Amino acid sequence: MTKAKVRSFFMYVFLIIVSFISVFPLYWMVSAATNKSAEVISGRLIPGTYFAENLKNLLANQNVGGAFVNSVKYSVILTLVSLVVSSLAGYGFEIYHDKVKDAVMSVILLAMMVPFVATMIPLFQMFSTAGWLNTTIGFILPTISTPFLIMMFRQSARSFPHDIMEAARIDGLSEIRIFFQMFIPTMRSTYAAAMTITFMNAWNSYLWPKVIMTDATSQTMPMVVANLTQGYVTDYGMLMLAVLICTLPTAIVFFCLQNAFAEGITGAVK
Amino acid sequence: MSKPKKMTLSRKHNLTGWVFLMPGALLILLMSFVPMFRALLLSFKTGVGAAMKSCGILNYTRMFQDTVFIQSIKNTFFYLIIQVPIMLIFALILASILNNKNLKFKGLFRTMIFLPCATSLVAYAVIFRSLFANNGIINLLLVKLGILNQPYAFLTNVWSARIVIIIALLWRWTGYNMVFYLSGLQNIEYSIYEAAKIDGASAVQTFFRITVPLLKPTILLTAIMSTNGTLQLFDESVNLTDGGPANASITMSHYIYNMSFKYVPNFGYAAAMSFLILILVAILAFLQMKVGDKRD
């Protein structure tokens, strides 16, 4: 009995240490965003009153408002388009599957192995010829359709009851309306999971926007944060406020839809 | 009468299926496979823009004399070999602790350990850059505790810069992998653990005899994903150490980016290097699947 108690005591201590390490950098970020840089350097760990001043400095230094709007625009449009295209494809692969479609699906899965740097340069060339640098279409096009999402929706379509489909067909519903009016509402949790993961990836993407967003006015939030580290002297208060603003949307998604997000990253596995 | 009608109906459904999957499939063809093929063609060329000319395998032979590229391969594999196993073992241990039915505050612990995944890669790289800066809180703490006499330049010393990248990666991704294991553990009947307990199995025995074997497919998946991700590491190298000091912590993707968009662009050479990454990813995934199969 005592041995078990000792063991569970150490288990809790271990978990508390790990949790502390996980949370501390984020706490530090929030606290630094509200303090003067000099106070941050001196080790102040309590939230301060310098938030407004940091915000003023940040807005004077970088076009945060524009970048935030850009990031929201790119991420929301990408998420919506991607969900429709990928789920329609996953549905098509599963509901109407035959040997040829299954073979096409396995070729698509191979695309998961293609590292982004291997396609980045030709994509950049193609997109600059097409005049898509600094545009929303340029941002979204490479990641609208992903093997991961198609696989995830293909798996979920497997559990879509066949009887319902037959009944709908007899009622004279067209195939596309069965998809929009029956499949999407039934698979709400899969869509929530896919939405969180797609939005997070879109918001956080850095390499691709860095390649095609050559104008300062088209920049995204992560790019603005990265810009701020370029100077010789770092204003930690201002920098951490930018990091905080960049993290806020994904943190909100994380807290509101944590289970959907967990399901999203593990989604295609089941 | 009804037979031919049915035929046309199934043919119609077959066609509908193709229409549904076509946008997604075409986009993957155009955005993944076509560029990949063009990168391969590009890798045999040299020069800029319209003046590109064929150069045979020159780009490929050049790679093996490029000390920075060799350094970037070494760094990437260093991150891979050190960080991925530590992270996966750690995630597995955390998941099996959190799977314990009698544990209190389970949800709270899970949320806190999973929380780093809410940050963007750039954001956390910048946070860690600030934490480990010369005037950062880690140095302040180490000096105050008397462990260091003066601040240590973590980010401008060769080995400490690499280790800071590994620490940052562990922080960001351990919770992510833990979620995979937790979801895998939910599929294992809890009664197996209770039976093992009654039979007098120790925690360590249960971990190695039950948890690890039953989670093998999930472990394989996370290993492949982490390998894939580590070989493509970019954001951390750029924003945490800027590849420094003097390219000592630069990753392959970071160097390819520099070669394409930062220095005088050399798309042909960069494409050749990116193709090497593609081959490495494919080989490692293949090897991991082979190893995964063998233990069955």
Side-chain angles (χ1 to χ4, degrees):
Chain A
M1 195 57 203
T2 41
K3 205 180 161 192
K5 261 186 185 161
V6 168
R7 192 199 290 151
S8 92
F9 172 75
F10 279 113
M11 213 161 68
Y12 281 107
V13 169
F14 177 69
L15 283 176
I16 289 167
I17 292 172
V18 174
S19 303
F20 176 77
I21 294 171
S22 300
V23 174
F24 178 76
L26 297 170
Y27 172 77
W28 183 81
M29 163 189 80
V30 176
S31 130
T34 60
N35 278 310
K36 208 174 181 167
S37 191
E39 288 171 334
V40 177
I41 293 168
S42 73
R44 187 184 158 106
L45 286 173
I46 312 153
T49 52
Y50 212 66
F51 178 81
E53 200 73 14
N54 284 333
L55 186 63
K56 210 174 82 187
N57 293 339
L58 179 62
L59 292 176
N61 193 299
Q62 293 279 328
N63 182 12
V64 178
F68 193 86
V69 171
N70 284 338
S71 273
V72 170
K73 186 174 75 181
Y74 303 149
S75 312
V76 170
I77 295 177
L78 174 58
T79 306
L80 291 177
V81 179
S82 172
L83 283 196
V84 173
V85 170
S86 300
S87 68
L88 199 57
Y91 180 85
F93 271 118
E94 178 59 32
I95 301 291
Y96 310 99
H97 78 102
D98 55 32
K99 267 191 188 147
V100 190
K101 291 194 190 81
D102 289 351
V104 173
M105 186 65 208
S106 18
V107 175
I108 283 181
L109 288 182
L110 282 181
M112 265 187 178
M113 287 287 140
V114 181
F116 185 69
V117 279
T119 57
M120 168 180 86
I121 296 162
L123 280 177
F124 172 76
Q125 291 178 322
M126 285 154 67
F127 281 33
S128 52
T129 317
W132 287 340
L133 301 187
N134 300 306
T135 62
T136 306
I137 183 110
F139 181 93
I140 70 171
L141 212 51
T143 39
I144 286 178
S145 175
T146 69
F148 182 85
L149 281 186
I150 294 181
M151 190 159 88
M152 189 167 159
F153 282 107
R154 184 170 170 252
Q155 299 287 45
S156 75
R158 201 158 285 175
S159 67
F160 188 53
H162 214 262
D163 305 346
I164 293 186
M165 266 196 91
E166 287 303 322
R169 277 174 183 160
I170 290 165
D171 286 348
L173 230 61
S174 67
E175 297 296 308
I176 191 79
R177 288 183 75 173
I178 295 176
F179 173 76
F180 278 107
Q181 293 181 356
M182 312 201 68
F183 181 76
I184 293 183
T186 319
M187 297 299 162
R188 223 175 292 140
S189 69
T190 310
Y191 277 90
M195 191 188 79
T196 53
I197 188 86
T198 310
F199 178 80
M200 291 253 201
N201 284 340
W203 184 274
N204 293 340
S205 70
Y206 177 61
L207 176 52
W208 181 236
K210 198 172 158 70
V211 169
I212 63 154
M213 299 304 179
T214 48
D215 278 353
T217 50
S218 326
Q219 289 194 340
T220 62
M221 258 330 274
M223 291 170 82
V224 161
V225 170
N227 289 344
L228 282 168
T229 62
Q230 297 308 315
Y232 283 102
V233 184
T234 312
D235 182 332
Y236 286 111
M238 183 174 87
L239 178 64
M240 284 306 129
L241 181 60
V243 173
L244 177 65
I245 295 171
C246 180
T247 308
L248 224 48
T250 50
I252 291 170
V253 170
F254 179 87
F255 278 111
C256 297
L257 295 160
Q258 197 196 136
N259 290 325
F261 176 56
E263 222 174 276
I265 55 176
T266 58
V269 187
K270 286 171 195 162
Chain B
M1 242 336 249
S2 73
K3 231 184 178 182
K5 201 182 170 194
K6 228 180 187 173
M7 279 282 284
T8 49
L9 193 66
S10 85
R11 201 176 296 156
K12 195 189 135 204
H13 283 166
N14 182 23
L15 198 70
T16 314
W18 283 110
V19 173
F20 282 10
L21 65 83
M22 213 32 101
L26 269 182
L27 274 170
I28 286 183
L29 177 73
L30 291 173
M31 296 295 137
S32 266
F33 291 115
V34 170
M36 191 180 88
F37 184 68
R38 290 178 64 146
L40 181 64
L41 296 182
L42 204 58
S43 72
F44 296 108
K45 287 180 181 170
T46 186
V48 189
M52 289 197 91
K53 53 178 191 286
S54 183
C55 69
I57 58 161
L58 194 76
N59 285 328
Y60 287 91
T61 50
R62 179 182 166 184
M63 263 185 317
F64 298 102
Q65 283 144 21
D66 183 342
T67 48
V68 179
F69 185 60
I70 291 168
Q71 183 63 52
S72 77
I73 296 180
K74 280 186 191 161
N75 291 339
T76 310
F77 274 86
F78 176 71
Y79 301 142
L80 181 73
I81 292 163
I82 305 293
Q83 184 255 338
V84 173
I86 295 178
M87 174 182 69
L88 295 186
I89 292 168
F90 216 54
L92 203 53
I93 292 171
L94 285 169
S96 48
I97 292 178
L98 287 181
N99 195 45
N100 191 327
K101 256 192 178 164
N102 302 318
L103 192 78
K104 280 172 195 145
F105 311 115
K106 208 188 308 185
L108 184 66
F109 283 129
R110 191 190 95 135
T111 302
M112 289 199 286
I113 298 170
F114 191 30
L115 191 61
C117 290
T119 57
S120 90
L121 301 186
V122 172
Y124 96 91
V126 171
I127 292 175
F128 272 76
R129 182 195 178 109
S130 311
L131 290 176
F132 282 94
N134 287 356
N135 53 8
I137 187 126
I138 303 281
N139 266 317
L140 192 76
L141 198 71
L142 291 176
V143 170
K144 264 195 183 153
L145 290 174
I147 297 169
L148 290 178
N149 289 326
Q150 59 195 56
Y152 184 76
F154 285 106
L155 301 174
T156 47
N157 276 296
V158 173
W159 283 101
S160 57
R162 292 174 189 152
I163 287 164
V164 168
I165 287 196
I166 288 181
I167 292 173
L169 285 170
L170 286 172
W171 180 81
R172 175 64 169 73
W173 294 105
T174 302
Y176 181 89
N177 286 290
M178 180 191 78
V179 166
F180 277 84
Y181 297 144
L182 274 175
S183 128
L185 283 171
Q186 274 165 15
N187 298 330
I188 301 174
E189 289 273 342
Y190 199 75
S191 57
I192 298 179
Y193 287 102
E194 273 159 359
K197 211 175 189 180
I198 292 166
D199 289 348
S202 71
V204 178
Q205 276 175 324
T206 330
F207 182 76
F208 283 108
R209 297 275 171 81
I210 300 175
T211 310
V212 174
L214 287 177
L215 275 184
K216 211 188 72 184
T218 318
I219 295 172
L220 182 65
L221 177 90
T222 51
I224 291 175
M225 285 194 320
S226 312
T227 305
N228 199 340
T230 311
L231 288 180
Q232 300 189 47
L233 220 55
F234 176 77
D235 304 27
E236 294 83 351
S237 174
V238 174
N239 291 306
L240 221 170
T241 60
D242 201 11
N247 296 322
S249 68
I250 198 169
T251 62
M252 295 192 285
S253 293
H254 187 181
Y255 185 55
I256 292 172
Y257 174 85
N258 284 351
M259 196 49 88
S260 320
F261 300 105
K262 194 175 174 188
Y263 311 145
V264 180
N266 190 337
F267 284 169
Y269 183 45
M273 291 191 289
S274 73
F275 234 78
L276 188 76
I277 299 192
L278 179 85
I279 294 165
L280 287 176
V281 169
I283 292 175
L284 284 176
F286 178 75
L287 283 180
Q288 282 168 330
M289 278 187 238
K290 272 272 158 210
V291 172
D293 273 350
K294 248 184 203 155
R295 285 192 201 138
D296 263 329

